Coordinates of all heavy atoms in Angstrom, one line a residue:
M1 N -76.1 25.3 0.4 CA -76.2 25.7 1.8 C -77.5 25.4 2.3 O -78.6 25.6 1.5 CB -75.9 27.2 2.0 CG -74.5 27.5 2.0 SD -73.6 26.8 3.5 CE -72.0 27.7 3.2
T2 N -77.7 25.1 3.6 CA -78.9 24.8 4.2 C -79.0 25.6 5.5 O -78.1 25.9 6.1 CB -78.8 23.2 4.6 OG1 -78.5 22.4 3.4 CG2 -80.0 22.8 5.4
T3 N -80.3 26.1 5.7 CA -80.4 27.0 6.8 C -81.0 26.3 8.0 O -82.0 25.5 7.8 CB -81.3 28.4 6.3 OG1 -80.8 28.8 5.3 CG2 -81.5 29.2 7.5
V4 N -80.4 26.5 9.2 CA -80.9 26.0 10.4 C -81.2 27.2 11.3 O -80.3 28.1 11.4 CB -79.9 25.2 11.0 CG1 -80.4 24.5 12.3 CG2 -79.3 24.1 10.1
T5 N -82.2 27.1 12.0 CA -82.6 28.2 13.1 C -82.5 27.6 14.4 O -83.0 26.7 14.7 CB -83.9 28.8 12.9 OG1 -84.1 29.4 11.5 CG2 -84.2 29.9 13.8
F6 N -81.6 28.3 15.3 CA -81.4 27.9 16.7 C -82.2 28.8 17.5 O -82.2 30.0 17.3 CB -80.0 28.1 17.0 CG -79.0 27.0 16.4 CD1 -78.5 27.1 15.1 CD2 -78.7 25.8 17.1 CE1 -77.6 26.2 14.6 CE2 -77.9 24.8 16.6 CZ -77.3 25.0 15.3
I7 N -83.1 28.2 18.3 CA -83.7 29.1 19.4 C -83.0 29.1 20.6 O -82.8 28.0 21.1 CB -85.3 28.6 19.4 CG1 -86.0 28.6 18.0 CG2 -86.0 29.5 20.4 CD1 -87.3 28.2 17.9
T8 N -82.7 30.2 21.1 CA -81.8 30.2 22.4 C -82.8 30.2 23.5 O -84.0 30.5 23.4 CB -81.2 31.6 22.4 OG1 -82.1 32.7 22.4 CG2 -80.3 31.8 21.3
P9 N -82.2 29.8 24.8 CA -83.2 29.8 25.9 C -83.9 30.9 26.2 O -85.0 31.0 26.8 CB -82.1 29.4 27.0 CG -81.0 28.7 26.4 CD -80.9 29.5 25.1
D10 N -83.4 32.1 25.8 CA -84.2 33.5 26.1 C -85.2 33.6 24.9 O -85.6 34.8 24.8 CB -83.3 34.5 26.4 CG -82.4 34.9 25.1 OD1 -82.6 34.2 24.2 OD2 -81.6 35.8 25.3
R11 N -85.4 32.7 24.0 CA -86.4 32.8 22.9 C -85.9 33.6 21.8 O -86.7 34.0 20.8 CB -87.8 33.2 23.3 CG -88.3 32.4 24.6 CD -88.4 31.0 24.5 NE -89.2 30.5 23.4 CZ -89.0 29.2 22.9 NH1 -88.1 28.4 23.3 NH2 -89.9 28.8 21.8
G12 N -84.6 34.0 21.7 CA -84.1 34.6 20.6 C -83.9 33.6 19.5 O -83.9 32.3 19.7
T13 N -83.8 34.0 18.3 CA -83.3 33.1 17.2 C -82.1 33.5 16.5 O -81.7 34.7 16.4 CB -84.5 33.2 16.2 OG1 -84.7 34.4 15.6 CG2 -85.8 32.8 16.6
L14 N -81.4 32.5 16.0 CA -80.1 32.6 15.3 C -80.2 31.7 14.1 O -80.3 30.5 14.1 CB -79.0 32.3 16.2 CG -77.6 32.3 15.7 CD1 -77.2 33.7 15.2 CD2 -76.6 31.8 16.6
A15 N -80.3 32.4 12.9 CA -80.2 31.6 11.6 C -78.8 31.3 11.2 O -78.0 32.3 11.2 CB -81.0 32.4 10.5
V16 N -78.5 30.1 11.0 CA -77.1 29.6 10.5 C -77.2 29.0 9.1 O -77.9 28.2 8.8 CB -76.5 28.7 11.6 CG1 -75.3 28.1 11.0 CG2 -76.4 29.3 12.9
E17 N -76.3 29.4 8.2 CA -76.1 28.8 6.9 C -75.2 27.6 7.1 O -74.0 27.8 7.5 CB -75.4 29.7 5.8 CG -76.4 30.9 5.4 CD -77.6 30.4 4.7 OE1 -77.6 29.5 4.0 OE2 -78.7 30.9 5.0
A18 N -75.7 26.5 7.0 CA -75.1 25.2 7.4 C -74.5 24.5 6.1 O -75.1 24.6 5.0 CB -76.0 24.2 8.1
S19 N -73.3 23.9 6.3 CA -72.7 23.2 5.2 C -73.3 21.8 5.2 O -73.1 21.1 6.4 CB -71.1 23.2 5.4 OG -70.7 24.4 5.2
D20 N -73.8 21.3 4.2 CA -74.2 19.8 4.0 C -73.0 18.9 4.1 O -72.0 19.2 3.8 CB -74.9 19.6 2.7 CG -76.2 20.5 2.6 OD1 -76.7 21.0 3.7 OD2 -76.7 20.6 1.5
G21 N -73.2 17.8 4.8 CA -72.2 16.8 5.0 C -71.5 17.0 6.3 O -70.8 16.1 6.8
L22 N -71.5 18.2 7.0 CA -71.0 18.3 8.3 C -72.3 18.1 9.3 O -73.4 18.2 8.8 CB -70.5 19.7 8.6 CG -69.3 20.2 7.8 CD1 -68.8 21.5 8.0 CD2 -68.1 19.1 7.8
S23 N -71.8 17.9 10.5 CA -72.8 17.6 11.5 C -73.5 19.0 12.0 O -72.9 20.1 11.7 CB -72.4 16.9 12.6 OG -71.4 17.8 13.4
L24 N -74.6 18.9 12.5 CA -75.3 20.1 13.0 C -74.3 20.8 14.0 O -74.3 22.0 14.1 CB -76.8 19.8 13.6 CG -77.5 20.9 14.2 CD1 -77.7 22.0 13.3 CD2 -78.8 20.4 14.9
M25 N -73.8 19.9 14.9 CA -72.8 20.5 15.9 C -71.8 21.2 15.3 O -71.4 22.3 15.6 CB -72.3 19.3 16.7 CG -71.3 19.8 17.7 SD -69.6 19.8 17.1 CE -69.0 18.1 17.1
E26 N -71.1 20.6 14.2 CA -70.0 21.3 13.5 C -70.4 22.7 13.0 O -69.6 23.6 13.1 CB -69.4 20.5 12.5 CG -68.7 19.1 13.0 CD -68.3 18.1 12.0 OE1 -69.3 17.8 11.1 OE2 -67.3 17.8 11.9
N27 N -71.5 22.7 12.4 CA -72.1 24.0 11.7 C -72.4 24.9 13.0 O -72.1 26.2 12.8 CB -73.4 23.7 11.0 CG -73.0 23.2 9.6 OD1 -72.5 23.8 8.8 ND2 -73.3 21.9 9.4
A28 N -72.9 24.5 14.1 CA -73.1 25.5 15.2 C -71.8 25.9 15.7 O -71.7 27.2 16.1 CB -74.0 24.7 16.4
R29 N -70.9 25.1 15.9 CA -69.6 25.6 16.4 C -68.9 26.7 15.4 O -68.3 27.7 15.9 CB -68.6 24.4 16.6 CG -69.0 23.4 17.6 CD -68.9 24.0 19.1 NE -67.4 24.3 19.4 CZ -67.1 25.2 20.3 NH1 -68.1 26.0 20.9 NH2 -65.9 25.4 20.4
R30 N -68.8 26.2 14.1 CA -68.4 27.3 13.3 C -69.2 28.7 13.3 O -68.4 29.6 13.1 CB -68.6 26.7 11.7 CG -67.6 25.7 11.4 CD -67.9 25.3 9.9 NE -66.8 24.5 9.4 CZ -66.7 24.2 8.1 NH1 -67.6 24.5 7.2 NH2 -65.7 23.3 7.7
A31 N -70.4 28.7 13.7 CA -71.2 29.8 13.7 C -71.2 30.5 15.2 O -71.8 31.4 15.5 CB -72.7 29.5 13.2
N32 N -70.4 29.9 16.0 CA -70.2 30.3 17.4 C -71.6 30.3 18.2 O -72.0 31.3 18.7 CB -69.5 31.7 17.5 CG -68.2 31.6 17.0 OD1 -67.4 30.6 17.5 ND2 -67.7 32.6 16.3
V33 N -72.4 29.3 17.9 CA -73.7 29.2 18.7 C -73.4 28.9 20.0 O -72.9 27.8 20.3 CB -74.6 28.2 18.0 CG1 -75.9 28.0 18.8 CG2 -74.9 28.5 16.6
R34 N -73.8 29.9 20.9 CA -73.6 29.7 22.3 C -74.4 28.5 22.9 O -75.6 28.4 22.5 CB -73.9 30.9 23.1 CG -72.9 32.0 22.9 CD -73.3 33.2 23.7 NE -73.2 33.0 25.1 CZ -73.5 33.7 26.1 NH1 -73.9 34.9 25.9 NH2 -73.5 33.4 27.3
G35 N -73.9 27.7 23.8 CA -74.5 26.5 24.2 C -74.3 25.2 23.5 O -74.6 24.1 24.1
I36 N -73.7 25.3 22.5 CA -73.1 24.1 21.8 C -71.7 24.1 22.0 O -71.0 24.7 21.4 CB -73.4 24.2 20.2 CG1 -74.9 24.2 20.0 CG2 -72.8 22.8 19.6 CD1 -75.7 23.1 20.4
I37 N -71.3 23.3 23.0 CA -69.9 23.2 23.5 C -69.1 22.1 22.8 O -68.0 22.3 22.4 CB -69.9 23.0 25.1 CG1 -70.5 24.3 25.7 CG2 -68.4 22.9 25.6 CD1 -71.0 24.0 27.2
A38 N -69.7 20.9 22.9 CA -69.1 19.8 22.0 C -67.7 19.4 22.6 O -66.7 19.3 21.8 CB -69.0 20.1 20.6
E39 N -67.6 19.1 23.8 CA -66.3 18.9 24.5 C -65.6 17.6 23.8 O -64.5 17.6 23.8 CB -66.6 18.6 26.0 CG -66.7 19.7 26.8 CD -67.1 19.5 28.3 OE1 -67.2 18.3 28.7 OE2 -67.2 20.4 29.0
C40 N -66.4 16.7 23.4 CA -65.9 15.5 22.8 C -65.5 15.5 21.4 O -64.9 14.7 20.8 CB -66.6 14.2 23.2 SG -68.0 14.1 22.1
G41 N -65.8 16.7 20.9 CA -65.5 16.8 19.3 C -66.4 16.0 18.3 O -66.0 15.9 17.3
G42 N -67.5 15.5 18.9 CA -68.4 14.9 18.0 C -68.4 13.4 18.3 O -68.8 12.6 17.3
A43 N -67.8 12.8 19.2 CA -67.7 11.4 19.3 C -68.8 10.7 20.2 O -68.8 9.5 20.5 CB -66.3 11.0 20.2
C44 N -69.9 11.5 20.4 CA -71.0 11.0 21.1 C -70.6 10.6 22.5 O -70.9 9.5 23.0 CB -71.7 9.9 20.4 SG -73.4 9.5 20.9
A45 N -69.8 11.3 23.2 CA -69.2 11.1 24.4 C -69.4 12.0 25.4 O -68.7 12.0 26.6 CB -67.8 10.5 24.2
C46 N -70.1 13.1 25.3 CA -70.2 14.2 26.2 C -71.6 14.8 26.4 O -71.8 15.3 27.6 CB -69.2 15.3 25.9 SG -69.7 16.3 24.4
A47 N -72.5 14.8 25.5 CA -73.7 15.4 25.6 C -73.9 16.9 25.7 O -74.8 17.6 26.2 CB -74.6 14.8 26.8
T48 N -72.7 17.5 25.5 CA -72.6 19.1 25.5 C -73.1 19.7 24.1 O -72.7 20.9 24.0 CB -71.3 19.6 26.1 OG1 -70.2 19.2 25.0 CG2 -70.9 19.0 27.2
C49 N -73.6 19.0 23.4 CA -74.2 19.4 22.1 C -75.7 19.2 22.0 O -76.2 19.1 20.8 CB -73.4 18.8 20.9 SG -73.6 17.0 20.7
H50 N -76.3 19.1 23.1 CA -77.7 18.6 23.2 C -78.7 19.9 22.6 O -78.4 21.0 22.9 CB -78.0 18.5 24.6 CG -79.4 18.2 25.0 ND1 -79.9 18.5 26.2 CD2 -80.4 17.6 24.1 CE1 -81.2 18.1 26.4 NE2 -81.4 17.5 25.1
V51 N -79.6 19.4 21.7 CA -80.5 20.2 21.2 C -81.9 19.6 21.3 O -82.2 18.4 21.4 CB -80.5 20.6 19.8 CG1 -79.2 21.6 19.7 CG2 -80.3 19.5 18.8
H52 N -83.1 20.4 21.2 CA -84.3 19.9 21.1 C -84.9 20.3 19.7 O -84.7 21.3 19.2 CB -85.2 20.7 22.1 CG -85.1 20.5 23.6 ND1 -85.2 21.4 24.5 CD2 -84.7 19.3 24.3 CE1 -84.8 20.9 25.7 NE2 -84.5 19.7 25.5
V53 N -85.2 19.1 18.9 CA -85.6 19.4 17.5 C -87.1 19.7 17.6 O -87.9 19.2 18.3 CB -85.5 18.1 16.9 CG1 -86.0 18.2 15.4 CG2 -83.9 17.6 16.8
A54 N -87.4 20.8 16.7 CA -88.8 21.2 16.6 C -89.7 20.0 16.3 O -89.3 19.2 15.4 CB -88.8 22.4 15.5
E55 N -90.9 19.9 16.8 CA -91.7 18.8 16.7 C -92.0 18.5 15.1 O -92.0 17.3 14.7 CB -93.3 19.1 17.3 CG -93.1 19.3 18.8 CD -92.7 18.0 19.6 OE1 -93.0 16.9 19.0 OE2 -92.1 18.1 20.6
D56 N -92.1 19.4 14.3 CA -92.5 19.1 12.9 C -91.4 18.6 12.1 O -91.4 18.5 10.9 CB -93.2 20.3 12.2 CG -92.6 21.7 12.5 OD1 -91.7 21.7 13.3 OD2 -93.0 22.7 11.9
W57 N -90.1 18.7 12.7 CA -89.0 18.2 12.1 C -88.5 16.7 12.5 O -87.5 16.2 12.1 CB -87.8 19.2 12.2 CG -87.9 20.4 11.3 CD1 -88.5 21.5 11.6 CD2 -87.4 20.4 10.0 NE1 -88.5 22.4 10.5 CE2 -87.7 21.7 9.5 CE3 -86.9 19.5 9.2 CZ2 -87.6 22.1 8.2 CZ3 -86.6 20.0 7.8 CH2 -87.0 21.2 7.4
L58 N -89.2 16.3 13.5 CA -88.7 15.0 14.2 C -88.6 13.9 13.2 O -87.5 13.1 13.3 CB -89.7 14.6 15.3 CG -89.3 15.4 16.7 CD1 -90.4 15.1 17.6 CD2 -88.0 15.3 17.2
V59 N -89.7 13.7 12.3 CA -89.5 12.7 11.4 C -88.4 12.8 10.4 O -87.7 11.8 10.1 CB -90.9 12.5 10.6 CG1 -90.9 11.5 9.6 CG2 -92.0 12.1 11.6
R60 N -88.3 13.8 9.9 CA -87.1 14.0 9.0 C -85.6 13.8 9.7 O -84.7 13.3 9.0 CB -87.2 15.4 8.2 CG -87.9 15.3 6.9 CD -88.0 16.6 6.3 NE -89.0 17.2 6.8 CZ -89.6 18.5 6.4 NH1 -89.0 19.0 5.3 NH2 -90.5 19.1 7.0
V61 N -85.6 14.4 10.8 CA -84.2 14.3 11.6 C -84.0 12.8 12.0 O -82.9 12.3 11.9 CB -84.2 15.2 12.8 CG1 -83.0 15.0 13.6 CG2 -84.2 16.7 12.3
G62 N -85.0 12.2 12.4 CA -84.9 10.8 12.8 C -84.6 10.6 14.3 O -84.4 11.6 15.0
L63 N -84.5 9.4 14.7 CA -84.3 9.1 16.1 C -83.0 8.8 16.5 O -82.3 8.3 15.6 CB -85.2 7.8 16.4 CG -86.8 7.8 16.2 CD1 -87.4 6.5 16.4 CD2 -87.4 9.0 17.1
P64 N -82.7 9.0 17.8 CA -81.3 8.7 18.2 C -81.1 7.1 18.2 O -82.0 6.4 18.4 CB -81.2 9.2 19.6 CG -82.6 9.3 20.0 CD -83.4 9.6 18.8
N65 N -79.8 6.7 18.0 CA -79.5 5.3 18.1 C -79.3 5.0 19.5 O -79.3 5.8 20.4 CB -78.3 4.9 17.2 CG -77.0 5.6 17.6 OD1 -76.8 6.2 18.7 ND2 -76.1 5.7 16.7
D66 N -79.0 3.8 19.8 CA -78.8 3.3 21.2 C -77.8 4.1 21.9 O -77.8 4.5 23.1 CB -78.7 1.9 21.3 CG -79.8 1.0 21.0 OD1 -80.9 1.6 21.0 OD2 -79.6 -0.2 20.8
M67 N -76.5 4.3 21.3 CA -75.4 5.0 22.0 C -75.9 6.5 22.3 O -75.4 6.9 23.3 CB -74.1 4.9 21.0 CG -72.9 5.4 21.7 SD -71.6 4.9 20.5 CE -71.2 6.5 19.8
E68 N -76.5 7.1 21.3 CA -76.9 8.4 21.5 C -77.8 8.6 22.6 O -77.8 9.4 23.6 CB -77.4 9.1 20.2 CG -77.8 10.5 20.3 CD -78.3 11.1 19.2 OE1 -78.3 10.5 18.1 OE2 -78.9 12.2 19.2
R69 N -78.7 7.7 22.6 CA -79.8 7.6 23.8 C -79.1 7.5 25.1 O -79.5 8.2 26.1 CB -80.8 6.5 23.6 CG -82.2 6.8 23.7 CD -83.2 5.7 23.7 NE -83.0 4.9 22.5 CZ -83.5 5.0 21.3 NH1 -84.3 6.0 21.1 NH2 -83.1 4.2 20.2
E70 N -78.2 6.5 25.3 CA -77.5 6.3 26.6 C -76.8 7.7 27.0 O -76.7 8.0 28.1 CB -76.5 5.2 26.4 CG -77.2 3.9 26.4 CD -76.3 2.7 26.2 OE1 -75.0 2.9 26.5 OE2 -76.7 1.7 25.9
M71 N -76.0 8.3 25.9 CA -75.4 9.6 26.3 C -76.4 10.7 26.7 O -76.0 11.6 27.6 CB -74.5 10.0 25.1 CG -73.6 11.0 25.3 SD -72.6 10.8 26.9 CE -71.7 9.2 26.4
L72 N -77.6 10.6 26.1 CA -78.5 11.7 26.5 C -78.9 11.7 27.9 O -79.2 12.6 28.5 CB -79.7 11.5 25.6 CG -79.6 12.3 24.2 CD1 -80.8 11.9 23.3 CD2 -79.7 13.8 24.4
D73 N -78.6 10.5 28.5 CA -78.9 10.4 30.0 C -78.0 11.3 30.8 O -78.5 11.7 32.0 CB -78.6 8.9 30.5 CG -79.8 7.9 30.0 OD1 -80.7 8.4 29.7 OD2 -79.4 6.8 30.1
F74 N -76.9 11.9 30.3 CA -76.2 12.6 30.9 C -76.4 14.2 30.7 O -75.7 15.0 31.3 CB -74.6 12.4 30.6 CG -74.2 11.0 31.1 CD1 -74.2 9.9 30.1 CD2 -73.7 10.8 32.3 CE1 -73.9 8.7 30.5 CE2 -73.4 9.5 32.7 CZ -73.3 8.4 31.8
A75 N -77.4 14.5 29.9 CA -77.7 15.8 29.6 C -78.8 16.3 30.5 O -79.5 15.5 31.2 CB -78.2 15.9 27.9
E76 N -79.0 17.6 30.5 CA -80.0 18.1 31.4 C -81.2 18.6 30.3 O -81.1 18.8 29.3 CB -79.6 19.5 32.1 CG -78.5 19.0 33.1 CD -78.0 20.2 34.0 OE1 -78.7 21.1 34.0 OE2 -76.9 20.1 34.6
D77 N -82.3 18.6 31.0 CA -83.7 19.2 30.3 C -83.9 18.2 29.1 O -84.1 18.7 28.0 CB -83.4 20.5 29.9 CG -84.7 21.2 29.4 OD1 -85.8 20.7 29.6 OD2 -84.5 22.3 28.7
V78 N -83.7 16.9 29.3 CA -83.9 16.0 28.2 C -85.4 15.8 28.0 O -86.2 15.6 29.0 CB -83.3 14.6 28.6 CG1 -83.6 13.5 27.5 CG2 -81.8 14.8 28.6
R79 N -85.8 15.7 26.7 CA -87.2 15.6 26.4 C -87.3 14.6 25.2 O -86.3 14.2 24.7 CB -87.8 16.9 25.8 CG -87.7 18.1 26.8 CD -88.1 19.4 26.2 NE -87.7 20.6 27.1 CZ -87.9 21.8 26.8 NH1 -88.6 22.1 25.6 NH2 -87.8 22.7 27.7
P80 N -88.6 14.2 24.8 CA -88.6 13.2 23.8 C -87.9 13.6 22.4 O -87.7 12.8 21.6 CB -90.2 13.0 23.6 CG -90.7 13.4 24.9 CD -89.9 14.5 25.5
N81 N -88.0 14.9 22.3 CA -87.3 15.5 21.0 C -85.9 15.8 21.1 O -85.3 16.5 20.4 CB -88.2 16.7 20.5 CG -88.3 17.9 21.5 OD1 -88.0 17.6 22.8 ND2 -88.5 18.9 21.0
S82 N -85.3 15.4 22.2 CA -83.8 15.6 22.4 C -82.9 14.9 21.4 O -83.3 13.7 21.2 CB -83.4 15.3 23.8 OG -83.9 16.1 24.8
R83 N -81.9 15.5 21.0 CA -80.9 14.9 20.1 C -79.5 15.4 20.4 O -79.6 16.6 20.9 CB -81.3 15.0 18.6 CG -82.4 14.4 18.0 CD -82.2 12.8 18.0 NE -80.9 12.3 17.4 CZ -80.8 12.1 16.1 NH1 -81.8 12.1 15.3 NH2 -79.6 11.6 15.8
L84 N -78.6 14.8 20.2 CA -77.1 15.3 20.2 C -76.9 15.8 18.9 O -76.8 15.0 17.9 CB -76.2 14.2 20.6 CG -76.5 13.6 22.2 CD1 -75.5 12.6 22.4 CD2 -76.3 14.8 23.1
S85 N -76.5 17.0 18.7 CA -76.4 17.8 17.4 C -75.2 17.1 16.6 O -75.2 17.2 15.4 CB -76.3 19.2 17.5 OG -75.1 19.6 18.3
C86 N -74.2 16.4 17.3 CA -73.1 15.8 16.7 C -73.6 14.6 15.7 O -72.8 14.1 15.0 CB -71.9 15.6 17.6 SG -72.2 14.3 18.7
Q87 N -74.6 14.1 16.1 CA -75.2 12.9 15.5 C -76.2 13.2 14.4 O -76.8 12.4 13.8 CB -75.8 12.0 16.5 CG -74.8 11.6 17.7 CD -73.5 11.1 17.2 OE1 -73.6 9.9 16.4 NE2 -72.4 11.5 17.4
I88 N -76.5 14.5 14.1 CA -77.3 14.9 13.0 C -76.4 15.4 11.8 O -75.6 16.4 12.0 CB -78.2 15.9 13.5 CG1 -79.1 15.3 14.6 CG2 -79.1 16.4 12.3 CD1 -80.1 16.5 15.3
T89 N -76.5 14.7 10.7 CA -75.7 15.1 9.6 C -76.6 16.1 8.6 O -77.7 15.6 8.3 CB -75.1 14.0 8.7 OG1 -74.4 13.3 9.5 CG2 -74.3 14.4 7.5
M90 N -76.0 17.3 8.4 CA -76.8 18.1 7.7 C -76.8 17.7 6.2 O -75.8 17.3 5.5 CB -76.2 19.5 7.8 CG -76.4 20.2 9.1 SD -78.0 20.2 9.8 CE -78.9 21.1 8.7
T91 N -78.1 17.6 5.6 CA -78.4 17.6 4.1 C -79.3 18.6 3.7 O -80.0 19.2 4.5 CB -78.9 16.2 3.8 OG1 -80.2 16.2 4.5 CG2 -78.0 15.0 4.5
A92 N -79.5 18.7 2.4 CA -80.4 19.6 1.7 C -81.9 19.4 2.3 O -82.7 20.3 2.4 CB -80.4 19.5 0.3
A93 N -82.1 18.1 2.7 CA -83.6 17.7 3.2 C -83.8 18.3 4.5 O -85.0 18.4 4.9 CB -83.6 16.2 3.3
L94 N -82.8 18.8 5.1 CA -82.9 19.6 6.5 C -83.0 21.1 6.4 O -82.9 21.7 7.4 CB -81.9 19.1 7.5 CG -81.9 17.6 7.8 CD1 -80.8 17.3 8.8 CD2 -83.3 17.2 8.2
D95 N -83.1 21.5 5.1 CA -83.1 22.9 5.0 C -84.4 23.5 5.7 O -85.4 23.1 5.4 CB -83.2 23.4 3.5 CG -83.1 24.8 3.2 OD1 -82.5 25.5 3.9 OD2 -83.8 25.4 2.2
G96 N -84.2 24.5 6.6 CA -85.3 25.0 7.3 C -85.5 24.5 8.7 O -86.2 24.9 9.5
L97 N -84.6 23.6 9.1 CA -84.7 22.8 10.3 C -84.7 24.0 11.4 O -83.9 24.9 11.4 CB -83.4 22.0 10.5 CG -83.1 21.3 11.9 CD1 -84.3 20.2 12.2 CD2 -81.9 20.6 11.9
V98 N -85.3 23.7 12.6 CA -85.5 24.5 13.7 C -85.1 23.6 14.9 O -85.7 22.6 15.1 CB -86.8 25.2 13.9 CG1 -86.8 25.9 15.1 CG2 -87.2 26.0 12.7
V99 N -84.2 24.1 15.7 CA -83.8 23.4 16.9 C -83.7 24.3 18.1 O -83.3 25.5 17.8 CB -82.4 22.6 16.8 CG1 -82.6 21.6 15.9 CG2 -81.3 23.5 16.7
S100 N -84.0 24.0 19.2 CA -83.8 24.7 20.5 C -82.7 24.3 21.2 O -82.4 23.2 21.4 CB -85.2 24.7 21.3 OG -86.2 25.2 20.5
L101 N -82.1 25.4 22.0 CA -81.1 25.0 22.9 C -81.8 24.7 24.3 O -82.6 25.5 24.7 CB -80.1 26.2 23.0 CG -79.4 26.4 21.7 CD1 -78.6 27.8 21.7 CD2 -78.4 25.3 21.2
P102 N -81.3 23.8 25.0 CA -81.9 23.5 26.3 C -81.8 24.6 27.3 O -80.8 25.4 27.2 CB -81.3 22.2 26.7 CG -80.6 21.7 25.6 CD -80.4 22.9 24.6
A103 N -82.6 24.7 28.2 CA -82.5 25.6 29.4 C -81.0 25.4 29.9 O -80.6 24.2 30.1 CB -83.5 25.4 30.4
G104 N -80.4 26.4 30.3 CA -79.0 26.3 30.9 C -77.9 26.2 29.9 O -76.6 26.1 30.3
A105 N -78.3 26.1 28.6 CA -77.3 26.0 27.6 C -76.5 27.4 27.4 O -77.1 28.4 27.7 CB -77.9 25.6 26.2
Ligands
FES1 FE1 -70.1 15.2 22.5 FE2 -71.9 15.6 20.7 S1 -70.1 16.7 20.8 S2 -71.7 14.2 22.3

């Protein structure tokens, strides 16, 4: 198991035990994280799974590909550290990951 901490828009924190091999979005949905809606089910076609990756995790999480970058244009509160959580696969290397939910999530 890998632990991910979600920071909510009101600055609360929610620690989730994530299953490796599933996406961050799938793990968030299983844990009922509010603000991760995932309308498209992980097809990179809705941007309702938007998160901000903590600065010190950006290198390990990696950059969005072109398709994800284009879909992020439809999200709100997009920042340089924005990612779609359905495009992040959880692995042991991401144990301790911290992400924030955008304003309005
Ligand atoms: Fe739709 Fe991530 S779940 S883009």
Side-chain angles (χ1 to χ4, degrees):
M1 281 290 194
T2 300
T3 302
V4 182
T5 298
F6 291 85
I7 300 174
T8 60
D10 63 0
R11 308 309 295 165
T13 59
L14 177 63
V16 170
E17 292 295 325
S19 296
D20 295 344
L22 296 182
S23 71
L24 177 58
M25 174 279 282
E26 290 170 307
N27 280 290
R29 294 289 298 155
R30 283 182 168 191
N32 293 316
V33 175
R34 288 183 63 185
I36 301 294
I37 299 166
E39 282 176 358
C40 77
C44 198
C46 73
T48 62
C49 64
H50 177 206
V51 295
H52 298 141
V53 176
E55 297 291 334
D56 48 349
W57 282 95
L58 281 174
V59 171
R60 265 179 280 185
V61 170
L63 297 171
N65 63 21
D66 289 346
M67 189 167 104
E68 182 180 344
R69 220 182 320 268
E70 286 176 19
M71 191 50 57
L72 278 166
D73 286 344
F74 296 94
E76 294 185 20
D77 192 18
V78 175
R79 302 177 188 177
N81 59 339
S82 285
R83 290 292 313 267
L84 296 178
S85 60
C86 67
Q87 302 302 301
I88 299 171
T89 301
M90 294 307 301
T91 68
L94 296 181
D95 186 33
L97 175 65
V98 178
V99 298
S100 301
L101 299 167

